[in-house]
């Protein structure tokens, strides 16, 4: 799901945007999403006021060879791991003013694939319309073309993502060492 515009949409939610519907009272949304058309990489989703963005995030651990996983990661992922899809999931934190939580949840759930769609599998999902395809492809090419096009959204280079990912892995490993020593 998501809006047009390769990564950024207009006032689809925030109370300041004068929107209508169950999501109009949303002021802030932040989290990760699994886009059916993007099996290997998380989507970072954010809404602040009227600015809505969907940008490429870190790879899903399910898309990374297990021999490349840091020690202890498998145990850390146990709570979110599903045998069929690994750690792929959608987790959004939503903040709103006078928000009808049940209606907002129903509106967000309507964006999910149906059970029938899920049963069709990855091949069918890859054929779905993907308004973010160009953004993900450019990211996979190292963002060179995106810099030339002067896109408004900053999408980190592959090297920046890898460096941040490695730093996060070191933090995880260090926290695990501290926990073991304690």
């Amino acid at each position: 799901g998501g809006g047009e515009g390769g990564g950024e949409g207009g006032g689809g939610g925030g109370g300041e945007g004068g929107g209508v519907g169950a999501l109009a009272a949303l002021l802030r949304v932040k989290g990760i999403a699994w886009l059916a058309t993007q099996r290997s990489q998380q989507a970072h989703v954010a809404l602040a006021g009227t600015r809505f963005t969907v940008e490429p995030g870190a790879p899903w651990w399910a898309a990374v060879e297990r021999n490349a996983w840091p020690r202890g990661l498998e145990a850390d992922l146990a709570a979110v791991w599903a045998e069929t899809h690994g750690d792929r999931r959608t987790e959004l934190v939503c903040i709103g003013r006078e928000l009808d939580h049940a209606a907002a949840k129903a509106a967000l759930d309507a964006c999910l694939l149906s059970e029938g769609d899920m049963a069709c599998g990855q091949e069918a999902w890859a054929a779905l319309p993907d308004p973010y395809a160009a953004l993900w492809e450019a990211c996979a090419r190292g963002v060179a073309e995106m810099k030339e096009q002067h896109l408004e959204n900053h999408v980190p280079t592959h090297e920046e993502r890898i460096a941040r990912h490695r730093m996060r892995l070191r933090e995880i490993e260090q926290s695990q060492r501290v926990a073991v020593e304690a």
Side-chain angles (χ1 to χ4, degrees):
E4 297 296 326
E8 187 171 337
E16 302 165 17
V20 295
L23 302 178
L26 284 175
L27 300 173
R28 185 88 168 101
V29 174
K30 189 165 180 78
I32 60 169
W34 171 22
L35 301 181
T37 55
Q38 301 297 332
R39 183 166 174 79
S40 299
Q41 197 169 6
Q42 298 174 10
H44 283 198
V45 178
L47 168 73
T50 60
R51 183 173 170 80
F52 176 71
T53 58
V54 176
E55 298 177 334
W60 293 109
W61 283 109
V64 175
E65 293 292 327
R66 287 201 182 206
N67 61 3
W69 288 14
R71 272 189 332 223
L73 180 64
E74 190 169 354
D76 291 345
L77 291 175
V80 297
W81 194 266
E83 195 56 41
T84 53
H85 304 295
D87 60 329
R88 296 175 184 95
R89 64 197 183 282
T90 297
E91 289 184 358
L92 300 175
V93 174
C94 302
I95 300 170
R97 182 176 40 230
E98 299 177 24
L99 183 64
D100 179 341
H101 295 276
K105 182 180 182 322
L108 291 169
D109 284 349
C111 299
L112 300 174
L113 294 179
S114 69
E115 287 184 29
D117 293 333
M118 288 296 291
C120 290
Q122 181 59 38
E123 252 184 62
W125 307 337
L128 293 170
D130 186 353
Y132 304 106
L135 185 64
W136 261 255
E137 289 167 11
C139 187
R141 287 190 303 269
V143 193
E145 290 181 24
M146 291 178 63
K147 287 181 180 177
E148 291 175 23
Q149 295 173 12
H150 304 289
L151 289 179
E152 289 181 38
N153 286 345
H154 170 72
V155 178
T157 65
H158 180 70
E159 291 79 17
E160 290 172 321
R161 285 195 327 273
I162 294 296
R164 280 200 314 257
H165 188 67
R166 286 185 178 145
M167 185 168 59
R168 179 68 181 130
L169 290 176
R170 283 192 292 272
E171 290 171 1
I172 291 169
E173 288 174 351
Q174 186 176 19
S175 68
Q176 289 173 346
R177 275 191 231 116
V178 169
V180 169
E181 293 171 2

